[in-house]
Amino acid sequence: MFASERVRLRPIVPDDAAVLYELWSDPETHLLTDESPLLIESLPARRARLERQLQAEPDLSYARFTAETIADRTVIGICSLWGLDAYNQYGHLGISLLPAARTRGYGREMVRLLCHYGFRFRNLHRIELETLATNTGMRKLAESCGFVLEGIQREQAYDGDGFSDIVLYGLLRQEWSR
């Protein structure tokens, strides 16, 4: 669907559940990437939930992709644009990588592909990225992709041990480099 030199973003399919189950069931990843409580689910239950989501009417405020390598089609994670607001022309960006795919530059390619999709094909003017202030990997990634630190929300997110600050980054269409 959308591809860089090493990464392809494609629609999520039910068969992805088996690979992504590792990501979805990891408590530490969940604390970094999700605002809801961790649900302890079996693989068949998680797959059934994914199938129900995929069969639902498309939600224009959400665009979710599976990320895979171009070389051998290995699934490396998922990513999305969410909270898409067509009137105000903005949305939020999020990525989750499987542990084996981290620190290899795939995240940067995923972010760039999502920005390409958002600015070119969803006509966004602005893309936001929020993360825990302690998530230094995501903060470095955001800055390396041109996102600008715009603010801090003090003690806004539960991190498993207490409450952490959230940092907000923004990227405007005119700042985006194709």
Side-chain angles (χ1 to χ4, degrees):
M1 191 161 201
F2 296 100
S4 64
E5 201 170 296
R6 301 181 310 144
V7 175
R8 175 184 300 111
L9 303 185
R10 61 165 174 77
I12 294 177
V13 296
D15 287 342
D16 292 335
V19 176
L20 296 173
Y21 184 71
E22 174 188 3
L23 188 65
W24 289 330
S25 59
D26 176 51
E28 295 307 314
T29 299
H30 184 84
L31 287 171
L32 288 174
T33 62
D34 206 309
E35 297 175 348
S36 63
L38 175 65
L39 298 176
I40 307 302
E41 296 179 291
S42 66
L43 175 56
R46 187 62 179 101
R47 182 185 171 111
R49 188 153 60 98
L50 175 61
E51 287 174 351
R52 284 191 303 277
Q53 290 170 346
L54 294 174
Q55 291 171 0
E57 230 11 76
D59 182 352
L60 295 177
S61 69
Y62 202 79
R64 192 161 133 182
F65 302 93
T66 294
E68 65 184 12
T69 61
I70 293 209
D72 60 5
R73 300 183 66 126
T74 299
V75 172
I76 56 173
I78 55 175
C79 57
S80 62
L81 289 175
W82 55 275
L84 295 169
D85 180 330
Y87 182 74
N88 292 299
Q89 296 179 288
Y90 78 91
H92 305 263
L93 180 148
I95 68 168
S96 293
L97 283 162
L98 288 159
R102 294 177 189 156
T103 70
R104 301 177 65 186
Y106 292 134
R108 181 173 292 105
E109 291 182 51
M110 291 165 65
V111 168
R112 288 182 176 156
L113 288 169
L114 282 172
C115 289
H116 173 76
Y117 171 71
F119 288 128
R120 258 206 92 219
F121 297 98
R122 294 300 291 263
N123 195 31
L124 298 180
H125 173 72
R126 169 186 175 79
I127 297 177
E128 297 179 356
L129 184 155
E130 301 92 3
T131 191
L132 293 175
T134 56
N135 188 350
T136 56
M138 190 61 184
R139 293 185 71 176
K140 286 179 184 177
L141 173 59
E143 291 166 8
S144 74
C145 290
F147 282 78
V148 175
L149 178 63
E150 296 181 335
I152 298 172
Q153 295 176 308
R154 297 177 307 134
E155 296 187 9
Q156 195 269 347
Y158 180 68
D159 68 4
D161 296 317
F163 287 87
S164 287
D165 294 349
I166 290 287
V167 290
L168 170 67
Y169 287 89
L171 181 66
L172 302 177
R173 181 194 296 261
Q174 65 264 25
E175 298 166 339
W176 168 59
S177 63
R178 297 175 193 214

